[in-house]
């Protein structure tokens, strides 16, 4: 198993490729396209679109080098039985989870808006985890999947930095994984929150993990033989 040294903040991080998975968080139309949940919350979803290309590149190299790839999707059952009333009722009617929008019912599994973007769509062989919360470890089998595959390190990408990515990184830390965040593969609806969330992750000697750019990861993974 090859050891790779990834340039990152606050320190260079050494990982074994066979113990590393690529995690792609919530690259769904509901967040990244107009007419979905992100917009219903008052955001401009276009801001997240800069992540598409770098995430696509990370998927390509991870597939070439045989990494475990896990995609997540935030969403709820059509009867909303897995959606806490607090999450449901916090926004005005018409803009709530389950309300009808241009991409179907907002943040509901199986609706058009719930789907992952075509550009970064999972292959049939890849793991897709549906989650009712922000943190991808909450009420999912993510921990068990990672354990089963002997994963220690997570290369974390997706949206949004300050919500589903940061809560998942915090979860990863508690569950005993190294989270290595790829800043250019991640975005927030607000640039200052993106920066703040990254700063919190890498502060205090890397209290939650590391922050790097995909170019540093690509540079290292390119050295590995393809599968
Ligand atoms: N996936 C994810 O981050 N869910 C959110 O609700 N993000 C917001 O920034 N609102």
């Amino acid at each position: 198993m090859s050891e790779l040294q990834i340039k990152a903040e606050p320190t260079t991080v050494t990982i074994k490729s066979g113990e590393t998975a690529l995690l792609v968080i919530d690259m769904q139309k509901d967040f990244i396209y107009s007419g979905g949940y992100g917009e219903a919350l008052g955001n401009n979803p276009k801001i997240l679109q800069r992540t598409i290309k770098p995430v696509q590149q990370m998927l390509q190299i991870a597939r070439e080098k045989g990494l475990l790839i896990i995609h997540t999707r935030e969403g709820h059952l059509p009867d909303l039985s897995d959606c806490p009333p607090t999450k449901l009722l916090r926004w005005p009617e018409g803009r709530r989870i389950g309300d009808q929008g241009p991409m179907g019912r907002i943040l509901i599994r199986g609706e058009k808006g719930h789907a992952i973007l075509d550009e970064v769509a999972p292959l049939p062989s890849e793991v897709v985890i549906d989650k009712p919360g922000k943190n991808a470890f909450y009420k999912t089998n993510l921990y068990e999947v990672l354990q089963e595959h002997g994963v220690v390190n997570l290369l974390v990408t997706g949206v949004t930095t300050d919500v589903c990515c940061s809560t998942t990184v915090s979860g990863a830390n508690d569950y005993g994984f190294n989270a290595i965040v790829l800043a250019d593969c991640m975005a927030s609806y607000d640039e200052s929150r993106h920066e703040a969330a990254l700063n919190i992750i890498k502060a205090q000697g890397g209290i939650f993990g590391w922050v790097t750019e995909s170019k540093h990861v690509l540079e290292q993974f390119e050295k590995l033989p393809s599968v």
Side-chain angles (χ1 to χ4, degrees):
M1 202 184 297
S2 310
E3 277 208 351
L4 304 173
Q5 302 238 319
I6 315 269
K7 268 188 222 155
E9 289 182 303
T11 61
T12 293
V13 53
T14 304
I15 60 171
K16 287 186 178 143
S17 57
E19 296 179 346
T20 304
L22 175 65
L23 185 59
V24 185
I25 298 179
D26 301 359
M27 291 292 287
Q28 295 162 258
K29 296 177 184 175
D30 252 319
F31 297 107
I32 302 178
Y33 285 174
S34 186
Y37 182 54
E39 197 169 70
L41 295 175
N43 301 299
N44 176 2
K46 285 205 179 75
I47 296 168
L48 305 186
Q49 292 175 5
R50 69 164 176 76
T51 59
I52 299 171
K53 216 172 184 162
V55 170
Q56 230 176 358
Q57 276 182 322
M58 278 309 303
L59 279 168
Q60 192 186 334
I61 192 111
R63 284 167 183 158
E64 265 173 43
K65 307 301 177 186
L67 256 66
L68 174 71
I69 299 175
I70 300 177
H71 305 255
T72 69
R73 296 185 295 210
E74 182 181 351
H76 295 280
L77 297 169
D79 68 0
L80 297 171
S81 58
D82 60 351
C83 183
T86 47
K87 184 177 181 184
L88 190 63
L89 303 174
R90 210 172 299 159
W91 290 276
E93 229 176 305
R95 290 169 40 199
R96 286 181 186 156
I97 296 166
D99 287 347
Q100 198 64 43
M103 292 193 292
R105 291 180 68 203
I106 294 173
L107 215 62
I108 297 296
R109 292 184 193 174
E111 298 286 337
K112 186 180 166 198
H114 182 257
I116 293 173
L117 269 54
D118 292 346
E119 296 94 317
V120 292
L123 295 181
S125 57
E126 293 167 2
V127 180
V128 179
I129 291 187
D130 280 312
K131 62 188 182 74
K134 306 302 186 193
N135 176 351
F137 290 93
Y138 175 70
K139 290 193 176 173
T140 70
N141 65 345
L142 176 57
Y143 177 76
E144 287 74 17
V145 171
L146 296 172
Q147 285 285 98
E148 213 174 281
H149 287 84
V151 172
V152 178
N153 312 297
L154 294 172
L155 300 171
V156 189
T157 66
V159 298
T160 63
T161 318
D162 50 322
V163 181
C164 290
C165 298
S166 67
T167 51
T168 299
V169 165
S170 153
N173 174 64
D174 285 340
Y175 276 106
F177 300 100
N178 293 319
I180 301 155
V181 168
L182 278 52
D184 56 321
C185 295
M186 209 178 264
S188 165
Y189 293 116
D190 177 278
E191 195 55 35
S192 67
R193 293 204 306 271
H194 172 72
E195 289 302 327
L198 296 179
N199 283 338
I200 290 168
I201 290 166
K202 69 185 177 188
Q204 306 181 61
I207 193 74
F208 290 118
W210 288 262
V211 177
T212 188
E213 299 280 330
S214 59
K215 65 178 180 200
H216 297 311
V217 178
L218 291 168
E219 185 182 283
Q220 291 299 306
F221 276 87
E222 273 156 10
K223 296 179 188 170
L224 299 177
S226 297
V227 292

